[in-house]
Amino acid sequence: MDVSSTASETGATDDGGGGGSGSPTSISTTAIHSLPIEVLTEIFHNLRVPDLASVRQTCTQWNEIVINNRTLMNRFVLSLRDARIEDGAEHSQVLANTRLTFEKVCVKACYILSAPVLWRSIGCHTVELTLNDCTISAETLVGVLRSTRETLRSLTIKSTKFDDHRLYNTPIDFRLERLHSLTIRSSYVYDAFFQLFKRICPNLKAIKLTFSSYERWGEQLVDFVATLSDTLEALTLSYTKATGVMLQHIGRIENLRLRKVSLKSCFGIKESDILLLARVQPTIVHLNLDNLFSASEQFLQALSAFLPQMKRIKLRVSRIYNLHRSFLVNMPQLNYLKITDSTQMKGNLDLSAYENPYLDKLFVSAAMFSRNTLPRFFERCPNIRSLTLYQCTYENIHDLQLAFSHLKGLEYLNLQRTTDIGDSFFNRDVFDTIVMPFERVRFYPIANLRRLCYLNLSHCRDLSDQALMALRFPMLRKIDLRGLHITEAGVETLVRDCPQLEYVLVDACKRVCDTAVLYLCRDLRNLRMLNLESCKAITDLSVEHIVRHCRSLVWLNVINCPQLSEAAKTRLKGVRMIRTLLM
């Protein structure tokens, strides 16, 4: 049995304060235990989940405070892995007799047999249930769902194999009235399951079917959607064999009012199918057409006319000469825009005329930006918090630097595979000779990004330690440096100037050595995820640093590190705090 935590990435923070340079204040154990329960509970609410788990092991009183507080216990997940689940097994007996309650249950790589006693003990509290890479029969699944009928709100089935998909004499005498979300991923969905869900899931709001298949062309899926016409709002069919015929049947279902539709990589769907769906479902505000087809200018004009209330859209475009006039001008409420340019033509994506104070997230892939277009665009859309410019090229890289002077609220920045970026890009002193060509104005665009929490510079091949030495982001929590030519010198300054880092990816950084790992493990108190894959210079000494200094690490990747001995890898397996270990 394995219990792990899934606290939100922003909900369990640690100031790392310290309160000045004076010596730490000593507080006696008696004084701590004499604190009122209300005070202790408030303290526990501000702890990170690994620390909260340690609190439960400290003493009986503290453990009782945690397990009797529903908010605190909701931060834990009951995780059953690599086990045979049946009544009589050791873990089943432990869970059947425990007073602990878990709202989140994850069953991974298990062979699930009928275990009514076990599921009665934990099912009455389960709100979110995930079956991942399990083997189960349809009748056993019905028994599991019956035990969670009072509380279950989210059901996820991933990569699950069914011993027998038929329901023989199993009575379906219950309904999952509270179930709002059903996710099926990487599984084959038999007609029998659509018929089962149609009978027991009357109030579903979201169906997510991805990387999955079904019988024939999906008439049972359409029939399932039809039974949910009064409640269903979101439909995801990404990476399935969905066709235009299916979309026509779904779109014409009476009383159906879809708001979110995802059809990513459904290659059987054409532009005309999307326009037909948009015409009969004008309530759609989220639409994902990523990796589907290259949208033409005529298609975008028609789509924007049918869906003027659109708030989020993802698509691929080609040869759009005026994206603003043909498409964006008709979508004033758009807050998320993802565009992949399939033309590789300079100036094909000219966003400079678009003005939208609501735009919050922008993702552009494979675009070639002309001079001055980016600064004008970001000046008109200054409230962007998440910016991804993946594998883009620039006629003038300084345009991107100028853009930072407008994006003072930026929290997420992804510049992955931007080959135009060098160490000088992050120089603190940049001269603006574009806006005012006859006067050199000194400013510090990088310094504006005080709220930056995520930075991705992976595979920006011309970056080195000099770039890391220029990064000073006090709120930065995640950084991706994959494939860069960095050493311990750059890492040392990075951990000093970005002390709140929790997620660090330095995989394929061939010059990262044991000293760099020491800096990461010793100086980053909140380090939760560390990717060292293909860091071929690290040795067993790095394992020593990880074991000795990491107190919050829950995810570690040391695949393809040839200098790590088997003894060192065995030692890593014994670290209880690490929930996911790849090697």
Side-chain angles (χ1 to χ4, degrees), residues 289-291 295 300 313-320 323-324 327-328 334 336-343 348-351 354 359 361-369 377 388-390 392:
L289 306 178
D290 200 13
N291 198 28
L300 293 178
I313 188 167
K314 303 178 183 180
L315 47 79
R316 180 193 298 266
V317 299
S318 65
R319 298 187 181 279
I320 307 299
L323 190 65
H324 171 258
F327 175 54
L328 295 178
L334 203 65
Y336 179 75
L337 175 63
K338 180 179 179 181
I339 298 180
T340 300
D341 187 3
S342 62
T343 58
N348 187 55
L349 283 183
D350 186 356
L351 303 170
Y354 185 48
L359 192 62
K361 297 181 180 180
L362 176 67
F363 185 115
V364 180
S365 176
M368 300 179 68
F369 292 104
F377 168 69
T388 297
L389 300 172
Y390 175 80
C392 295

mmCIF file of all heavy atoms in Angstrom, residues 289-291 295 300 313-320 323-324 327-328 334 336-343 348-351 354 359 361-369 377 388-390 392:
data_model
loop_
_atom_site.group_PDB
_atom_site.id
_atom_site.type_symbol
_atom_site.label_atom_id
_atom_site.label_comp_id
_atom_site.label_asym_id
_atom_site.label_seq_id
_atom_site.Cartn_x
_atom_site.Cartn_y
_atom_site.Cartn_z
ATOM 1 N N LEU A 289 -8.711 22.507 -32.112
ATOM 2 C CA LEU A 289 -8.515 21.903 -33.435
ATOM 3 C C LEU A 289 -7.036 21.697 -33.708
ATOM 4 O O LEU A 289 -6.605 21.653 -34.863
ATOM 5 C CB LEU A 289 -9.122 22.803 -34.518
ATOM 6 C CG LEU A 289 -10.590 23.197 -34.329
ATOM 7 C CD1 LEU A 289 -11.029 24.119 -35.458
ATOM 8 C CD2 LEU A 289 -11.481 21.959 -34.268
ATOM 9 N N ASP A 290 -6.253 21.557 -32.658
ATOM 10 C CA ASP A 290 -4.808 21.436 -32.788
ATOM 11 C C ASP A 290 -4.440 20.168 -33.559
ATOM 12 O O ASP A 290 -5.025 19.098 -33.355
ATOM 13 C CB ASP A 290 -4.182 21.404 -31.391
ATOM 14 C CG ASP A 290 -2.707 21.769 -31.421
ATOM 15 O OD1 ASP A 290 -2.245 22.281 -32.458
ATOM 16 O OD2 ASP A 290 -2.028 21.542 -30.421
ATOM 17 N N ASN A 291 -3.458 20.300 -34.441
ATOM 18 C CA ASN A 291 -2.940 19.162 -35.203
ATOM 19 C C ASN A 291 -4.049 18.458 -35.990
ATOM 20 O O ASN A 291 -4.064 17.235 -36.108
ATOM 21 C CB ASN A 291 -2.247 18.159 -34.270
ATOM 22 C CG ASN A 291 -1.326 17.219 -35.010
ATOM 23 O OD1 ASN A 291 -0.789 17.563 -36.056
ATOM 24 N ND2 ASN A 291 -1.149 16.018 -34.488
ATOM 25 N N ALA A 295 -5.954 25.498 -41.253
ATOM 26 C CA ALA A 295 -7.158 26.294 -41.505
ATOM 27 C C ALA A 295 -6.891 27.376 -42.540
ATOM 28 O O ALA A 295 -5.879 28.079 -42.487
ATOM 29 C CB ALA A 295 -7.639 26.920 -40.200
ATOM 30 N N LEU A 300 -11.585 30.430 -41.299
ATOM 31 C CA LEU A 300 -11.517 31.242 -40.094
ATOM 32 C C LEU A 300 -12.589 32.331 -40.085
ATOM 33 O O LEU A 300 -13.172 32.641 -39.043
ATOM 34 C CB LEU A 300 -10.129 31.860 -39.955
ATOM 35 C CG LEU A 300 -8.990 30.876 -39.704
ATOM 36 C CD1 LEU A 300 -7.660 31.607 -39.631
ATOM 37 C CD2 LEU A 300 -9.221 30.083 -38.426
ATOM 38 N N ILE A 313 -9.217 28.964 -28.164
ATOM 39 C CA ILE A 313 -9.159 28.233 -29.425
ATOM 40 C C ILE A 313 -7.724 27.814 -29.715
ATOM 41 O O ILE A 313 -6.774 28.556 -29.445
ATOM 42 C CB ILE A 313 -9.733 29.073 -30.591
ATOM 43 C CG1 ILE A 313 -9.850 28.201 -31.850
ATOM 44 C CG2 ILE A 313 -8.903 30.314 -30.848
ATOM 45 C CD1 ILE A 313 -10.688 28.828 -32.937
ATOM 46 N N LYS A 314 -7.583 26.596 -30.259
ATOM 47 C CA LYS A 314 -6.289 26.065 -30.664
ATOM 48 C C LYS A 314 -6.426 25.559 -32.100
ATOM 49 O O LYS A 314 -7.344 24.776 -32.397
ATOM 50 C CB LYS A 314 -5.860 24.904 -29.762
ATOM 51 C CG LYS A 314 -5.782 25.253 -28.284
ATOM 52 C CD LYS A 314 -5.398 24.038 -27.452
ATOM 53 C CE LYS A 314 -5.388 24.352 -25.973
ATOM 54 N NZ LYS A 314 -5.021 23.170 -25.143
ATOM 55 N N LEU A 315 -5.531 26.007 -32.984
ATOM 56 C CA LEU A 315 -5.638 25.601 -34.385
ATOM 57 C C LEU A 315 -4.312 25.772 -35.120
ATOM 58 O O LEU A 315 -3.363 26.372 -34.615
ATOM 59 C CB LEU A 315 -6.746 26.396 -35.092
ATOM 60 C CG LEU A 315 -6.796 27.916 -34.896
ATOM 61 C CD1 LEU A 315 -5.792 28.624 -35.759
ATOM 62 C CD2 LEU A 315 -8.196 28.413 -35.197
ATOM 63 N N ARG A 316 -4.288 25.215 -36.323
ATOM 64 C CA ARG A 316 -3.152 25.328 -37.239
ATOM 65 C C ARG A 316 -3.580 26.162 -38.436
ATOM 66 O O ARG A 316 -4.691 25.960 -38.956
ATOM 67 C CB ARG A 316 -2.698 23.940 -37.691
ATOM 68 C CG ARG A 316 -1.515 23.935 -38.643
ATOM 69 C CD ARG A 316 -1.361 22.558 -39.260
ATOM 70 N NE ARG A 316 -1.087 21.561 -38.247
ATOM 71 C CZ ARG A 316 0.133 21.173 -37.891
ATOM 72 N NH1 ARG A 316 1.185 21.691 -38.496
ATOM 73 N NH2 ARG A 316 0.301 20.248 -36.971
ATOM 74 N N VAL A 317 -2.753 27.095 -38.852
ATOM 75 C CA VAL A 317 -3.131 27.987 -39.952
ATOM 76 C C VAL A 317 -2.098 27.912 -41.070
ATOM 77 O O VAL A 317 -0.973 27.450 -40.875
ATOM 78 C CB VAL A 317 -3.255 29.447 -39.472
ATOM 79 C CG1 VAL A 317 -4.332 29.576 -38.411
ATOM 80 C CG2 VAL A 317 -1.921 29.969 -38.953
ATOM 81 N N SER A 318 -2.506 28.366 -42.242
ATOM 82 C CA SER A 318 -1.591 28.420 -43.385
ATOM 83 C C SER A 318 -1.983 29.585 -44.297
ATOM 84 O O SER A 318 -3.167 29.782 -44.585
ATOM 85 C CB SER A 318 -1.646 27.114 -44.188
ATOM 86 O OG SER A 318 -2.921 26.935 -44.777
ATOM 87 N N ARG A 319 -0.971 30.383 -44.653
ATOM 88 C CA ARG A 319 -1.162 31.485 -45.617
ATOM 89 C C ARG A 319 -2.329 32.409 -45.240
ATOM 90 O O ARG A 319 -3.244 32.642 -46.034
ATOM 91 C CB ARG A 319 -1.346 30.929 -47.028
ATOM 92 C CG ARG A 319 -0.131 30.156 -47.514
ATOM 93 C CD ARG A 319 -0.253 29.762 -48.976
ATOM 94 N NE ARG A 319 0.910 29.006 -49.410
ATOM 95 C CZ ARG A 319 2.082 29.560 -49.774
ATOM 96 N NH1 ARG A 319 2.208 30.877 -49.763
ATOM 97 N NH2 ARG A 319 3.093 28.809 -50.151
ATOM 98 N N ILE A 320 -2.294 32.880 -44.004
ATOM 99 C CA ILE A 320 -3.287 33.855 -43.569
ATOM 100 C C ILE A 320 -2.655 35.235 -43.691
ATOM 101 O O ILE A 320 -1.781 35.606 -42.912
ATOM 102 C CB ILE A 320 -3.724 33.588 -42.116
ATOM 103 C CG1 ILE A 320 -4.167 32.137 -41.962
ATOM 104 C CG2 ILE A 320 -4.837 34.533 -41.711
ATOM 105 C CD1 ILE A 320 -5.331 31.744 -42.826
ATOM 106 N N LEU A 323 -4.503 37.908 -40.291
ATOM 107 C CA LEU A 323 -5.160 37.116 -39.263
ATOM 108 C C LEU A 323 -6.113 37.968 -38.431
ATOM 109 O O LEU A 323 -7.168 37.514 -38.003
ATOM 110 C CB LEU A 323 -4.108 36.469 -38.359
ATOM 111 C CG LEU A 323 -4.604 35.419 -37.370
ATOM 112 C CD1 LEU A 323 -5.140 34.211 -38.097
ATOM 113 C CD2 LEU A 323 -3.501 35.012 -36.411
ATOM 114 N N HIS A 324 -5.751 39.224 -38.220
ATOM 115 C CA HIS A 324 -6.603 40.095 -37.418
ATOM 116 C C HIS A 324 -7.925 40.385 -38.106
ATOM 117 O O HIS A 324 -9.005 40.218 -37.541
ATOM 118 C CB HIS A 324 -5.860 41.408 -37.126
ATOM 119 C CG HIS A 324 -6.722 42.456 -36.500
ATOM 120 N ND1 HIS A 324 -7.236 43.521 -37.217
ATOM 121 C CD2 HIS A 324 -7.179 42.593 -35.240
ATOM 122 C CE1 HIS A 324 -7.974 44.263 -36.413
ATOM 123 N NE2 HIS A 324 -7.943 43.739 -35.210
ATOM 124 N N PHE A 327 -10.180 37.064 -38.762
ATOM 125 C CA PHE A 327 -10.507 36.120 -37.697
ATOM 126 C C PHE A 327 -10.592 36.777 -36.314
ATOM 127 O O PHE A 327 -11.644 36.831 -35.693
ATOM 128 C CB PHE A 327 -9.453 35.007 -37.706
ATOM 129 C CG PHE A 327 -9.570 34.004 -36.601
ATOM 130 C CD1 PHE A 327 -10.759 33.329 -36.370
ATOM 131 C CD2 PHE A 327 -8.484 33.717 -35.799
ATOM 132 C CE1 PHE A 327 -10.865 32.393 -35.350
ATOM 133 C CE2 PHE A 327 -8.575 32.785 -34.787
ATOM 134 C CZ PHE A 327 -9.771 32.124 -34.567
ATOM 135 N N LEU A 328 -9.490 37.363 -35.848
ATOM 136 C CA LEU A 328 -9.407 37.822 -34.473
ATOM 137 C C LEU A 328 -10.322 38.998 -34.168
ATOM 138 O O LEU A 328 -10.823 39.121 -33.050
ATOM 139 C CB LEU A 328 -7.957 38.190 -34.132
ATOM 140 C CG LEU A 328 -6.962 37.017 -34.160
ATOM 141 C CD1 LEU A 328 -5.552 37.514 -33.865
ATOM 142 C CD2 LEU A 328 -7.364 35.945 -33.167
ATOM 143 N N LEU A 334 -11.772 36.648 -26.564
ATOM 144 C CA LEU A 334 -10.773 35.586 -26.558
ATOM 145 C C LEU A 334 -9.758 35.801 -25.436
ATOM 146 O O LEU A 334 -9.180 36.870 -25.295
ATOM 147 C CB LEU A 334 -10.047 35.564 -27.908
ATOM 148 C CG LEU A 334 -9.379 34.258 -28.326
ATOM 149 C CD1 LEU A 334 -10.429 33.173 -28.538
ATOM 150 C CD2 LEU A 334 -8.580 34.465 -29.606
ATOM 151 N N TYR A 336 -7.578 32.874 -24.630
ATOM 152 C CA TYR A 336 -6.506 31.899 -24.872
ATOM 153 C C TYR A 336 -6.429 31.626 -26.372
ATOM 154 O O TYR A 336 -7.427 31.263 -26.995
ATOM 155 C CB TYR A 336 -6.756 30.601 -24.117
ATOM 156 C CG TYR A 336 -5.688 29.544 -24.362
ATOM 157 C CD1 TYR A 336 -4.439 29.648 -23.769
ATOM 158 C CD2 TYR A 336 -5.925 28.455 -25.200
ATOM 159 C CE1 TYR A 336 -3.464 28.698 -23.985
ATOM 160 C CE2 TYR A 336 -4.953 27.499 -25.428
ATOM 161 C CZ TYR A 336 -3.725 27.628 -24.820
ATOM 162 O OH TYR A 336 -2.750 26.693 -25.042
ATOM 163 N N LEU A 337 -5.260 31.818 -26.942
ATOM 164 C CA LEU A 337 -5.061 31.632 -28.374
ATOM 165 C C LEU A 337 -3.817 30.785 -28.606
ATOM 166 O O LEU A 337 -2.725 31.135 -28.157
ATOM 167 C CB LEU A 337 -4.910 32.985 -29.070
ATOM 168 C CG LEU A 337 -4.569 32.970 -30.568
ATOM 169 C CD1 LEU A 337 -5.688 32.301 -31.360
ATOM 170 C CD2 LEU A 337 -4.319 34.382 -31.075
ATOM 171 N N LYS A 338 -4.001 29.665 -29.292
ATOM 172 C CA LYS A 338 -2.871 28.815 -29.677
ATOM 173 C C LYS A 338 -2.875 28.650 -31.190
ATOM 174 O O LYS A 338 -3.848 28.170 -31.771
ATOM 175 C CB LYS A 338 -2.939 27.438 -29.008
ATOM 176 C CG LYS A 338 -1.767 26.538 -29.411
ATOM 177 C CD LYS A 338 -1.814 25.183 -28.737
ATOM 178 C CE LYS A 338 -0.630 24.326 -29.188
ATOM 179 N NZ LYS A 338 -0.650 22.979 -28.561
ATOM 180 N N ILE A 339 -1.784 29.067 -31.823
ATOM 181 C CA ILE A 339 -1.676 29.017 -33.281
ATOM 182 C C ILE A 339 -0.372 28.330 -33.676
ATOM 183 O O ILE A 339 0.704 28.678 -33.173
ATOM 184 C CB ILE A 339 -1.701 30.429 -33.896
ATOM 185 C CG1 ILE A 339 -3.023 31.124 -33.580
ATOM 186 C CG2 ILE A 339 -1.503 30.368 -35.391
ATOM 187 C CD1 ILE A 339 -3.112 32.512 -34.160
ATOM 188 N N THR A 340 -0.477 27.372 -34.561
ATOM 189 C CA THR A 340 0.689 26.753 -35.175
ATOM 190 C C THR A 340 0.731 27.163 -36.637
ATOM 191 O O THR A 340 -0.241 26.948 -37.374
ATOM 192 C CB THR A 340 0.638 25.219 -35.071
ATOM 193 O OG1 THR A 340 0.590 24.846 -33.693
ATOM 194 C CG2 THR A 340 1.853 24.586 -35.726
ATOM 195 N N ASP A 341 1.835 27.751 -37.060
ATOM 196 C CA ASP A 341 1.978 28.234 -38.436
ATOM 197 C C ASP A 341 2.624 27.138 -39.285
ATOM 198 O O ASP A 341 3.758 26.735 -39.046
ATOM 199 C CB ASP A 341 2.840 29.494 -38.455
ATOM 200 C CG ASP A 341 2.887 30.134 -39.839
ATOM 201 O OD1 ASP A 341 2.205 29.614 -40.734
ATOM 202 O OD2 ASP A 341 3.610 31.127 -39.992
ATOM 203 N N SER A 342 1.897 26.641 -40.253
ATOM 204 C CA SER A 342 2.402 25.557 -41.092
ATOM 205 C C SER A 342 3.052 26.045 -42.375
ATOM 206 O O SER A 342 3.454 25.245 -43.215
ATOM 207 C CB SER A 342 1.259 24.597 -41.445
ATOM 208 O OG SER A 342 0.266 25.268 -42.190
ATOM 209 N N THR A 343 3.155 27.366 -42.553
ATOM 210 C CA THR A 343 3.689 27.885 -43.815
ATOM 211 C C THR A 343 5.183 28.173 -43.773
ATOM 212 O O THR A 343 5.851 28.136 -44.794
ATOM 213 C CB THR A 343 2.966 29.190 -44.193
ATOM 214 O OG1 THR A 343 3.143 30.132 -43.132
ATOM 215 C CG2 THR A 343 1.489 28.949 -44.401
ATOM 216 N N ASN A 348 3.877 35.805 -41.918
ATOM 217 C CA ASN A 348 2.565 35.199 -42.135
ATOM 218 C C ASN A 348 1.636 35.444 -40.943
ATOM 219 O O ASN A 348 0.436 35.595 -41.122
ATOM 220 C CB ASN A 348 2.717 33.700 -42.373
ATOM 221 C CG ASN A 348 1.400 33.055 -42.774
ATOM 222 O OD1 ASN A 348 0.765 33.473 -43.727
ATOM 223 N ND2 ASN A 348 0.982 32.055 -42.025
ATOM 224 N N LEU A 349 2.197 35.502 -39.738
ATOM 225 C CA LEU A 349 1.398 35.771 -38.552
ATOM 226 C C LEU A 349 1.669 37.190 -38.080
ATOM 227 O O LEU A 349 2.578 37.432 -37.285
ATOM 228 C CB LEU A 349 1.731 34.768 -37.440
ATOM 229 C CG LEU A 349 1.142 33.368 -37.567
ATOM 230 C CD1 LEU A 349 1.503 32.525 -36.365
ATOM 231 C CD2 LEU A 349 -0.366 33.427 -37.728
ATOM 232 N N ASP A 350 0.902 38.108 -38.559
ATOM 233 C CA ASP A 350 1.035 39.504 -38.128
ATOM 234 C C ASP A 350 -0.100 39.801 -37.161
ATOM 235 O O ASP A 350 -1.246 39.989 -37.562
ATOM 236 C CB ASP A 350 0.987 40.442 -39.329
ATOM 237 C CG ASP A 350 1.260 41.889 -38.927
ATOM 238 O OD1 ASP A 350 1.400 42.152 -37.709
ATOM 239 O OD2 ASP A 350 1.323 42.748 -39.814
ATOM 240 N N LEU A 351 0.225 39.840 -35.862
ATOM 241 C CA LEU A 351 -0.778 40.076 -34.832
ATOM 242 C C LEU A 351 -0.799 41.519 -34.362
ATOM 243 O O LEU A 351 -1.515 41.854 -33.417
ATOM 244 C CB LEU A 351 -0.497 39.160 -33.632
ATOM 245 C CG LEU A 351 -0.452 37.656 -33.905
ATOM 246 C CD1 LEU A 351 0.078 36.916 -32.682
ATOM 247 C CD2 LEU A 351 -1.821 37.129 -34.282
ATOM 248 N N TYR A 354 -4.043 43.502 -33.533
ATOM 249 C CA TYR A 354 -5.031 42.912 -32.625
ATOM 250 C C TYR A 354 -4.946 43.569 -31.256
ATOM 251 O O TYR A 354 -3.882 43.631 -30.653
ATOM 252 C CB TYR A 354 -4.801 41.416 -32.512
ATOM 253 C CG TYR A 354 -5.839 40.679 -31.694
ATOM 254 C CD1 TYR A 354 -7.191 40.882 -31.908
ATOM 255 C CD2 TYR A 354 -5.465 39.774 -30.709
ATOM 256 C CE1 TYR A 354 -8.147 40.198 -31.174
ATOM 257 C CE2 TYR A 354 -6.400 39.077 -29.972
ATOM 258 C CZ TYR A 354 -7.751 39.296 -30.204
ATOM 259 O OH TYR A 354 -8.697 38.620 -29.477
ATOM 260 N N LEU A 359 -6.964 38.971 -23.370
ATOM 261 C CA LEU A 359 -6.080 37.880 -23.759
ATOM 262 C C LEU A 359 -5.113 37.570 -22.627
ATOM 263 O O LEU A 359 -4.313 38.400 -22.211
ATOM 264 C CB LEU A 359 -5.307 38.249 -25.024
ATOM 265 C CG LEU A 359 -4.557 37.090 -25.689
ATOM 266 C CD1 LEU A 359 -5.537 36.019 -26.151
ATOM 267 C CD2 LEU A 359 -3.729 37.571 -26.874
ATOM 268 N N LYS A 361 -3.534 34.083 -22.321
ATOM 269 C CA LYS A 361 -2.546 33.080 -22.700
ATOM 270 C C LYS A 361 -2.361 33.088 -24.219
ATOM 271 O O LYS A 361 -3.340 33.093 -24.967
ATOM 272 C CB LYS A 361 -2.982 31.678 -22.253
ATOM 273 C CG LYS A 361 -3.097 31.522 -20.747
ATOM 274 C CD LYS A 361 -3.508 30.107 -20.375
ATOM 275 C CE LYS A 361 -3.622 29.948 -18.872
ATOM 276 N NZ LYS A 361 -4.018 28.571 -18.484
ATOM 277 N N LEU A 362 -1.107 33.063 -24.648
ATOM 278 C CA LEU A 362 -0.779 33.025 -26.072
ATOM 279 C C LEU A 362 0.250 31.943 -26.329
ATOM 280 O O LEU A 362 1.285 31.891 -25.661
ATOM 281 C CB LEU A 362 -0.239 34.378 -26.534
ATOM 282 C CG LEU A 362 0.235 34.446 -27.991
ATOM 283 C CD1 LEU A 362 -0.945 34.286 -28.944
ATOM 284 C CD2 LEU A 362 0.970 35.756 -28.267
ATOM 285 N N PHE A 363 -0.047 31.080 -27.294
ATOM 286 C CA PHE A 363 0.866 30.008 -27.698
ATOM 287 C C PHE A 363 1.017 30.101 -29.210
ATOM 288 O O PHE A 363 0.057 29.938 -29.953
ATOM 289 C CB PHE A 363 0.294 28.641 -27.306
ATOM 290 C CG PHE A 363 1.221 27.484 -27.564
ATOM 291 C CD1 PHE A 363 1.711 26.736 -26.512
ATOM 292 C CD2 PHE A 363 1.596 27.118 -28.840
ATOM 293 C CE1 PHE A 363 2.565 25.659 -26.721
ATOM 294 C CE2 PHE A 363 2.449 26.046 -29.075
ATOM 295 C CZ PHE A 363 2.924 25.320 -28.002
ATOM 296 N N VAL A 364 2.243 30.388 -29.665
ATOM 297 C CA VAL A 364 2.533 30.455 -31.095
ATOM 298 C C VAL A 364 3.672 29.500 -31.402
ATOM 299 O O VAL A 364 4.699 29.514 -30.715
ATOM 300 C CB VAL A 364 2.904 31.889 -31.533
ATOM 301 C CG1 VAL A 364 3.202 31.922 -33.019
ATOM 302 C CG2 VAL A 364 1.782 32.860 -31.196
ATOM 303 N N SER A 365 3.494 28.681 -32.419
ATOM 304 C CA SER A 365 4.495 27.679 -32.771
ATOM 305 C C SER A 365 4.929 27.849 -34.219
ATOM 306 O O SER A 365 4.095 28.040 -35.112
ATOM 307 C CB SER A 365 3.921 26.268 -32.566
ATOM 308 O OG SER A 365 4.827 25.280 -32.986
ATOM 309 N N ALA A 366 6.236 27.781 -34.432
ATOM 310 C CA ALA A 366 6.833 27.730 -35.775
ATOM 311 C C ALA A 366 6.549 28.972 -36.613
ATOM 312 O O ALA A 366 6.487 28.899 -37.834
ATOM 313 C CB ALA A 366 6.356 26.478 -36.518
ATOM 314 N N ALA A 367 6.386 30.118 -35.986
ATOM 315 C CA ALA A 367 6.119 31.351 -36.733
ATOM 316 C C ALA A 367 7.409 32.102 -37.025
ATOM 317 O O ALA A 367 8.418 31.931 -36.333
ATOM 318 C CB ALA A 367 5.168 32.248 -35.953
ATOM 319 N N MET A 368 7.367 32.933 -38.057
ATOM 320 C CA MET A 368 8.488 33.807 -38.412
ATOM 321 C C MET A 368 7.992 35.247 -38.320
ATOM 322 O O MET A 368 7.171 35.680 -39.133
ATOM 323 C CB MET A 368 8.988 33.482 -39.819
ATOM 324 C CG MET A 368 9.474 32.048 -39.982
ATOM 325 S SD MET A 368 10.028 31.675 -41.668
ATOM 326 C CE MET A 368 11.499 32.681 -41.773
ATOM 327 N N PHE A 369 8.471 35.983 -37.318
ATOM 328 C CA PHE A 369 7.954 37.317 -37.043
ATOM 329 C C PHE A 369 8.769 38.388 -37.757
ATOM 330 O O PHE A 369 10.000 38.406 -37.678
ATOM 331 C CB PHE A 369 7.963 37.591 -35.543
ATOM 332 C CG PHE A 369 6.983 36.758 -34.767
ATOM 333 C CD1 PHE A 369 7.407 35.677 -34.014
ATOM 334 C CD2 PHE A 369 5.625 37.051 -34.796
ATOM 335 C CE1 PHE A 369 6.508 34.911 -33.295
ATOM 336 C CE2 PHE A 369 4.718 36.297 -34.091
ATOM 337 C CZ PHE A 369 5.157 35.216 -33.332
ATOM 338 N N PHE A 377 2.100 44.393 -30.855
ATOM 339 C CA PHE A 377 1.058 43.464 -30.406
ATOM 340 C C PHE A 377 0.967 43.433 -28.883
ATOM 341 O O PHE A 377 -0.123 43.535 -28.308
ATOM 342 C CB PHE A 377 1.345 42.063 -30.950
ATOM 343 C CG PHE A 377 0.505 40.991 -30.324
ATOM 344 C CD1 PHE A 377 -0.853 40.926 -30.570
ATOM 345 C CD2 PHE A 377 1.072 40.056 -29.478
ATOM 346 C CE1 PHE A 377 -1.645 39.937 -29.988
ATOM 347 C CE2 PHE A 377 0.304 39.070 -28.892
ATOM 348 C CZ PHE A 377 -1.059 39.008 -29.147
ATOM 349 N N THR A 388 3.982 31.418 -24.803
ATOM 350 C CA THR A 388 4.799 30.361 -25.393
ATOM 351 C C THR A 388 5.100 30.728 -26.837
ATOM 352 O O THR A 388 4.170 30.943 -27.633
ATOM 353 C CB THR A 388 4.087 29.000 -25.346
ATOM 354 O OG1 THR A 388 3.878 28.618 -23.982
ATOM 355 C CG2 THR A 388 4.924 27.934 -26.035
ATOM 356 N N LEU A 389 6.375 30.827 -27.165
ATOM 357 C CA LEU A 389 6.829 31.072 -28.531
ATOM 358 C C LEU A 389 7.761 29.918 -28.889
ATOM 359 O O LEU A 389 8.974 29.993 -28.727
ATOM 360 C CB LEU A 389 7.541 32.415 -28.634
ATOM 361 C CG LEU A 389 6.686 33.633 -28.262
ATOM 362 C CD1 LEU A 389 7.534 34.897 -28.195
ATOM 363 C CD2 LEU A 389 5.547 33.819 -29.266
ATOM 364 N N TYR A 390 7.157 28.834 -29.359
ATOM 365 C CA TYR A 390 7.879 27.584 -29.573
ATOM 366 C C TYR A 390 8.487 27.531 -30.972
ATOM 367 O O TYR A 390 7.775 27.662 -31.968
ATOM 368 C CB TYR A 390 6.940 26.388 -29.367
ATOM 369 C CG TYR A 390 7.563 25.045 -29.675
ATOM 370 C CD1 TYR A 390 8.398 24.420 -28.762
ATOM 371 C CD2 TYR A 390 7.318 24.420 -30.893
ATOM 372 C CE1 TYR A 390 8.962 23.191 -29.037
ATOM 373 C CE2 TYR A 390 7.888 23.184 -31.188
ATOM 374 C CZ TYR A 390 8.720 22.579 -30.256
ATOM 375 O OH TYR A 390 9.292 21.367 -30.541
ATOM 376 N N CYS A 392 10.083 29.544 -32.758
ATOM 377 C CA CYS A 392 9.821 30.704 -33.610
ATOM 378 C C CYS A 392 11.134 31.379 -33.994
ATOM 379 O O CYS A 392 12.152 31.238 -33.312
ATOM 380 C CB CYS A 392 8.922 31.706 -32.887
ATOM 381 S SG CYS A 392 7.261 31.080 -32.543
#
